[in-house]
Amino acid sequence: MDNSLPPADELVLVDRELAQLDARRSQLLARRAWLVQVLRPPLAAPAPFGRPVPWAGPVADSTPRSAQNVLLTLGGTLLTIAAVAFTLVSWGSMGIGARASVLAVVTGAALAAPVALLRRGLGSTAEAVAALGLVLTVLDAYALHRVAFPETGGRAFAAVASAVLAGAWTAYGSTLSRLRLPLPAAVVAAQLPLPLGVLAAGGGPTAFAWAALVTAAADTAVVLWARPPAVRITAGTGAAALGGWALLTGGWLSLTAPWSGAPLLLTAAAVALFAAWRAPASAVAASALSGLAVLTAAGGLLRAALPADWAVPGYVLCALALAAPALARTGAGAAPAGSGTERGAEAADVRGSAPAGGAPGTSDATADAPGIPATGPRAGHSSGEPVRSGARVPRGIRLGLAGAGAGVAALGVVWALPPVVAGLLGPMARTTAVWSGEHAARPLAAYPATALLVLTVAVAALAALPRLWARCGALALAWALLTALPVSSGLPYPGTLALQLLTTAAALALAVRPGPLTRGLRAASPAAPPVADGGGTAAPAAAAPWEPPPLSTTPHAAPPAAGDGPWGVRPVGASTARRGEAPTPGTVLGWIAYACGLASALSAVGLALDVRGATFTALGALLALFAGVATVGPDARRVVSACAAVLAATGLVGAVAAAAGFADHWTALALLLVPAATAAVGSRAPGRVALAVEITGGAVGLLALGIAASRPAFLALALALGGVIAAATAVRPERRRFASWAAAALFLPAAWVRLAVWDVSVPEAYTLPVTVPALAVGLLRRRRDPEASSWTAYGPGLAVTLLPSLCAAWTDPEWARPLALGVAALAVTLLGARFRLQALLVLGGTTLALDGLHELAPYVVQVVDALPRWLPPALAGLLLLAVGATYEQRLRDARRLRERLARMR
């Protein structure tokens, strides 16, 4: 609570807070009453007089069914534990007859009891007893091995026993079809016979993988044709585990023994492909797995027959051979967009074969989509009917095979990227001096040259697909191929530099004119009406090839927007999409080409620094290229190119200065040519381009000032030249406000630095003749325009004298200058407060405070030294406590001070 308020105001504040609390309490009480009414059950009608109302009892925490399941589960678990303990621990205390009798009686009773329990409707109890019976059959098998077949190997007996148990449990579950546990248990037992039999026979990893694959194939058949969901889920889990083990073993064998792993992988691929054909829900995943197995097998065989450098290209070629037909059948490149052939193919695809689990007569695409009726002559057939030989391959299988091939090809492209990185970043990591004529050793010179083949094949494959994503990938990989070519082929230095410059030029040309990249692309028309296919199903209209928008032929068309192009001409390939719309293909491809061109330009500059002549050639070529893009390029690429052209010109000026042997301060003066040129270009360029060019030129000017800082005389000259450039820019109306302030900010330091160079000890002799007329001009300006800011009218004139005098006073050991400066600053401050002028108040007050601090600093130091060591921290603590206690008041004071300053002119 704020105790600094007067008592009357504080009383009003307390009353207001109490009223709010009472209102909130009333709201909460009303809400509580409603909640109690909702939670409390409605009262029954009153019973007749004298008849007691029966008590309903407490509300149960759980349903009877859940409690029954918990009890049955606990009971079955305890009985199972008891049976296991009896078999393993107490077995030796009984004879052979007693043992057989006990197990036979208990197992028979446990297996027969569910029949009677099911007749009485006790399904959960029957499930628990049946589970106990299944466990007892396992114990019977264990007992049989210990008593009748002690010399038989454990693995062999377990294989036979698991097969027998699987068959017995299957028969038992089929007889008592209302029990849910026996059939999944039979599926689990069926996973063991073949793998255990192979282990018992001493088979190696290959034989075990074959056994796992055969078992997985059987599980796949169960998944496809079994009806109970629990059985299908169990079989699917087993198929995934054992089939995955077989595939991993086949992959390992393809690297060590390809001719042993290939049959295993091809068989696994056939099983997965059959499952994909029959189960449309998992067609994509299963067919992708099948494709990966085929590629692993084929690539392993090629790897064994080809040299080591050709292993990855072999995998990539196999992957493209697998993906190409699948992509062609999906309609990616089968027919031109909008043709009747394509529409007929799409309609035929919709009326394709019906795999298991889907609606008959529909493809996987329509089977998965709710609300699409089944069409075609095969409607009404059972889902288990085999697909006829003339049916088309379902779309899910094509997508899976295409995904597998594309994934392997992408891994091959990743393998081929190190030469690209070396060709791009190698020139940046310099190990030799600039213009030394020596060239650094090429990184990754021993990398296989077949990486170029992988990139070439990938470019060709992507370029053949009329899709935007494929065309973008082809463009990026084509640039990567040209970047990696010098590294992999060992081109000499001139050829490498020429190739990089040509790559830059080609990329920038495509960024300006992306028309050749968009030929043959298909883009769906959002306004196209649906077209009915042969089966009566409405299908989307065929897509039309993308074409650049036609030029307007209207005689009185609206003038182009500013910045669309030089002198109002929109460049070809410029983006015509409005804000919020998707960019056109030309825009996307143009930006990708432009990014590739920028990367190649940077690499070319780094490489050109080895030789002097190459540096001039590269920088001149890049200056011409970026200037051309800045002139005719579209959208924001013009702005970036204009900045890049300024940087190229800066490098060219620096290279000329270095070649001429200029000292650093002369180089700084030469660099000022760049901001001068940008100021001239900015007066004729469009708005965004002009601003970007001038900002970049200003950054170069700051660099020149930093270089000239080591020589104060040249620094003063550079500041003065920069002020001249800014003053010339201020002639333009749109730059007048900022450029005029920049010119003043440059001229003032130039004068101060020049005075310091001349060892002037009395700067007022030079500043006062400037201050007096400047203040006179400001006074006239304020009389003509009372709304003019005091910073514009009086700020420059006061700063010319106050700031240099303040710097001189801080270094003057005498008292006359600080005293005169303090008096002048006090007068300026009082005038600012009297006439409410912000510039006078701020400049005068700041100068007065700093001057007083300089004069009082020695005495403050003496006082601090004379005080005890503990006193300054104590005073600081008291100050903090005082500020904290009146924090709100201090904030209000600061806000009032800020508002008063803001209201001043």
Side-chain angles (χ1 to χ4, degrees):
M1 183 176 298
D2 192 355
N3 295 326
S4 63
L5 295 175
D9 295 343
E10 186 176 354
L11 179 60
V12 172
L13 180 62
V14 170
D15 291 341
R16 186 182 298 114
E17 294 290 340
L18 289 175
Q20 292 177 356
L21 291 176
D22 291 339
R24 181 59 178 167
R25 186 173 185 275
S26 301
Q27 294 176 358
L28 294 176
L29 288 175
R31 182 66 178 176
R32 181 183 182 278
W34 181 83
L35 293 174
V36 170
Q37 183 180 0
V38 170
L39 295 176
R40 184 177 297 168
L43 297 177
F49 179 76
R51 180 179 299 177
V53 179
W55 180 62
V59 180
D61 292 334
S62 60
T63 61
R65 178 66 63 183
S66 62
Q68 179 188 20
N69 292 336
V70 171
L71 293 177
L72 290 175
T73 302
L74 291 177
T77 303
L78 292 177
L79 288 176
T80 302
I81 294 174
V84 172
F86 171 77
T87 304
L88 298 180
V89 179
S90 303
W91 186 260
S93 60
M94 302 180 64
I96 184 65
R99 301 171 190 172
S101 300
V102 170
L103 282 177
V105 171
V106 175
T107 304
L111 294 177
V115 178
L117 293 174
L118 289 175
R119 290 177 181 176
R120 294 178 176 270
L122 302 175
S124 300
T125 307
E127 289 285 353
V129 177
L132 176 62
L134 297 181
V135 174
L136 289 176
T137 55
V138 177
L139 297 178
D140 288 341
Y142 171 75
L144 183 63
H145 176 258
R146 292 292 301 274
V147 174
F149 304 99
E151 297 180 357
T152 306
R155 294 176 179 175
F157 186 84
V160 176
S162 59
V164 174
L165 289 177
W169 291 350
T170 301
Y172 184 70
S174 301
T175 303
L176 301 178
S177 58
R178 295 174 59 186
L179 295 177
R180 294 173 294 177
L181 187 60
L183 290 180
V187 173
V188 173
Q191 310 301 310
L192 303 177
L194 288 180
L196 291 179
V198 170
L199 294 178
T206 304
F208 185 84
W210 275 105
L213 181 58
V214 173
T215 307
D219 291 335
T220 303
V222 173
V223 171
L224 293 176
W225 284 292
R227 290 184 177 274
V231 175
R232 299 178 65 183
I233 292 175
T234 307
T237 304
L242 294 176
W245 179 266
L247 288 175
L248 290 178
T249 305
W252 171 69
L253 290 175
S254 69
L255 300 176
T256 57
W259 291 102
S260 299
L264 179 64
L265 290 171
L266 293 177
T267 305
V271 174
L273 189 60
F274 178 78
W277 192 280
R278 303 296 301 184
S282 59
V284 176
S287 58
L289 193 65
S290 174
L292 291 177
V294 171
L295 292 178
T296 305
L301 295 177
L302 290 177
R303 182 175 176 272
L306 296 175
D309 292 349
W310 288 84
V312 175
Y315 280 103
V316 172
L317 291 175
C318 293
L320 294 178
L322 177 67
L327 290 175
R329 295 301 295 272
T330 57
S339 64
T341 305
E342 183 186 11
R343 288 194 295 268
E346 291 178 356
D349 185 28
V350 174
R351 298 190 302 271
S353 61
T362 60
S363 68
D364 56 336
T366 57
D368 294 340
I372 298 180
T375 59
R378 300 200 311 147
H381 288 198
S382 63
S383 60
E385 181 182 354
V387 181
R388 61 185 180 182
S389 59
R392 293 174 56 85
V393 178
R395 184 172 182 269
I397 295 179
R398 297 198 303 269
L399 290 178
L401 294 178
V408 174
L411 291 178
V413 170
V414 171
W415 172 84
L417 289 182
V420 181
V421 178
L424 181 65
L425 301 181
M428 305 297 179
R430 302 199 56 80
T431 58
T432 59
V434 176
W435 291 358
S436 62
E438 300 177 357
H439 310 299
R442 294 181 181 272
L444 300 178
Y447 204 82
T450 51
L452 297 177
L453 176 61
V454 172
L455 293 175
T456 304
V457 173
V459 169
L462 290 175
L465 298 177
R467 290 292 185 266
L468 178 59
W469 61 268
R471 200 62 57 85
C472 293
L475 177 60
L477 290 181
W479 169 82
L481 174 63
L482 296 176
T483 306
L485 184 59
V487 177
S488 298
S489 61
L491 287 179
Y493 177 81
T496 302
L497 181 59
L499 181 60
Q500 288 190 347
L501 291 177
L502 290 176
T503 302
T504 304
L508 294 179
L510 291 175
V512 176
R513 298 288 187 270
L517 299 175
T518 60
R519 291 175 184 172
L521 284 182
R522 299 190 311 173
S525 177
V531 180
D533 59 8
T537 304
W546 182 86
E547 295 179 356
L551 297 177
S552 176
T553 57
T554 306
H556 303 286
D564 285 348
W567 302 283
V569 178
R570 177 178 293 274
V572 178
S575 174
T576 58
R578 298 179 180 177
R579 181 174 298 179
E581 297 181 357
T584 61
T587 302
V588 176
L589 292 169
W591 272 110
I592 293 177
Y594 189 72
C596 295
L598 288 179
S600 295
L602 291 176
S603 181
V605 170
L607 184 64
L609 293 178
D610 289 349
V611 180
R612 178 181 300 180
T615 302
F616 286 103
T617 302
L619 290 176
L622 293 178
L623 175 60
L625 289 174
F626 285 117
V629 177
T631 303
V632 300
D635 50 54
R637 280 163 278 185
R638 301 180 59 200
V639 178
V640 180
S641 299
C643 298
V646 173
L647 295 178
T650 304
L652 198 58
V653 171
V656 171
F662 288 175
D664 291 343
H665 48 277
W666 289 109
T667 303
L669 296 180
L671 287 176
L672 290 177
L673 294 174
V674 176
T678 56
V681 172
S683 62
R684 299 177 58 85
R688 291 189 304 171
V689 176
L691 180 61
V693 166
E694 290 169 352
I695 290 176
T696 310
V700 176
L702 293 178
L703 175 63
L705 296 180
I707 296 175
S710 60
R711 298 289 296 270
F714 283 89
L715 176 60
L717 179 58
L719 288 170
L721 292 176
V724 171
I725 296 172
T729 306
V731 175
R732 295 158 51 193
E734 70 276 9
R735 298 286 186 267
R736 181 167 300 163
R737 182 179 181 84
F738 177 80
S740 60
W741 282 101
L746 290 171
F747 280 132
L748 285 177
W752 299 340
V753 173
R754 175 54 61 184
L755 293 177
V757 170
W758 289 341
D759 294 331
V760 175
S761 59
V762 185
E764 293 81 4
Y766 298 90
T767 58
L768 286 176
V770 178
T771 297
V772 173
L775 293 179
V777 172
L779 180 60
L780 294 176
R781 170 72 184 279
R782 288 276 298 174
R783 285 183 177 180
R784 287 192 304 172
D785 184 12
E787 298 298 325
S789 173
S790 61
W791 288 99
T792 305
Y794 305 118
L798 291 175
V800 166
T801 296
L802 291 179
L803 296 183
S805 299
L806 181 62
C807 296
W810 272 65
T811 59
D812 192 351
E814 301 298 332
W815 58 272
R817 185 192 302 275
L819 178 60
L821 179 62
V823 172
L826 178 61
V828 171
T829 304
L830 294 177
L831 288 174
R834 171 64 181 82
F835 296 102
R836 305 178 63 83
L837 298 176
Q838 188 181 98
L840 276 67
L841 184 61
V842 172
L843 289 175
T846 303
T847 304
L848 182 61
L850 293 177
D851 185 62
L853 178 63
H854 173 264
E855 294 303 311
L856 294 177
Y859 303 102
V860 172
V861 172
Q862 293 178 5
V863 171
V864 171
D865 290 339
L867 293 176
R869 297 294 183 184
W870 56 267
L871 189 56
L875 293 176
L878 291 176
L879 178 62
L880 291 177
L881 289 177
V883 173
T886 60
Y887 181 72
E888 295 293 337
Q889 184 64 33
R890 301 286 79 78
L891 284 181
R892 286 193 292 270
D893 295 341
R895 293 192 190 101
R896 284 196 293 269
L897 178 60
R898 183 183 62 185
E899 292 172 358
R900 289 178 181 177
L901 284 175
R903 286 195 296 269
M904 293 181 179
R905 297 301 301 173

